[in-house]
Amino acid sequence: MAESVVLDPVDLHLLRLLQNDARTTYRDLAAQVGVAPSTCLDRVTRLRRSGVILGHRLELDPAKLGRGLEALLSVQVRPHRRELVGPFVERIRALPESRTVFHLTGPDDYLVHVAVADMSDLQRLVLDEFTSRREVARVETRLIFQQWECGPLLPPSPSAQST
């Protein structure tokens, strides 16, 4: 498990601002937080090096890219052994339709969020890329009608850390 990083109020303020707009300039961040731009740059660099900030990413609308149907695939792999699941995960991650792959506990081993063009594309994906694999014992498909993003992952408040 990753070790926690000690964050002071300035770090927390920077993280909250960057989560809302990762393109904010260091000059604007510094002005909002009340520190010099060089201090702001140093702090954000430290947050990156310590692994608190993992990166920046561009979010795309799957529907506008011709992938308007999204689904969750619950996948059971048998036998569940490292030499089989490693290549399985790498293959699934390489599929252009795969958005996220979760390794789970419980009756299903993986939950895969996919985005496809339509129902026939989903059927092709399930049959050709999942159930055709020898290690896949079962696939259960759930269509996503709608999804909502939740708020940014804010670090716990100092009062929550002490309890």
Side-chain angles (χ1 to χ4, degrees):
M1 184 180 286
E3 204 171 296
S4 292
V5 175
V6 177
L7 303 171
D8 68 17
V10 173
D11 293 330
L12 294 172
H13 196 176
L14 285 169
L15 291 172
R16 284 183 175 89
L17 292 169
L18 287 169
Q19 283 186 121
N20 291 324
D21 184 0
R23 296 177 301 169
T24 305
T25 65
Y26 289 116
R27 185 175 11 155
D28 290 344
L29 284 172
Q32 292 181 60
V33 175
V35 297
S38 60
T39 301
C40 181
L41 174 62
D42 290 344
R43 283 181 173 260
V44 172
T45 300
R46 182 180 54 79
L47 291 166
R48 279 194 180 96
R49 284 191 185 133
S50 66
V52 173
I53 296 175
L54 298 176
H56 308 280
R57 66 175 217 223
L58 181 67
E59 191 171 341
L60 304 174
D61 183 341
K64 291 189 174 152
L65 297 172
R67 295 192 179 168
L69 181 64
E70 295 186 64
L72 296 173
L73 307 179
S74 300
V75 182
Q76 197 175 70
V77 174
R78 292 294 176 261
H80 195 170
R81 293 194 320 252
R82 188 173 302 277
E83 64 269 12
L84 291 177
V85 300
F88 169 76
V89 170
E90 289 309 309
R91 174 64 187 138
I92 299 312
R93 289 184 67 210
L95 295 172
E97 298 89 351
S98 294
R99 309 247 356 241
T100 311
V101 180
F102 299 95
H103 191 190
L104 309 171
T105 63
D108 297 315
D109 299 311
Y110 294 94
L111 184 64
V112 184
H113 178 190
V114 299
V116 295
D118 53 29
M119 196 62 74
S120 64
D121 196 25
L122 179 60
Q123 181 182 23
R124 176 206 51 81
L125 180 71
V126 170
L127 293 175
D128 294 348
E129 301 295 346
F130 286 84
T131 60
S132 66
R133 298 187 61 92
R134 64 181 168 78
E135 69 273 24
V136 173
R138 184 179 65 78
V139 175
E140 193 172 302
T141 305
R142 291 176 179 83
L143 298 180
I144 298 172
F145 291 135
Q146 193 171 4
Q147 72 184 57
W148 296 266
E149 292 294 322
C150 297
L153 175 65
L154 299 176
S157 66
S159 61
Q161 289 176 335
S162 63
T163 56

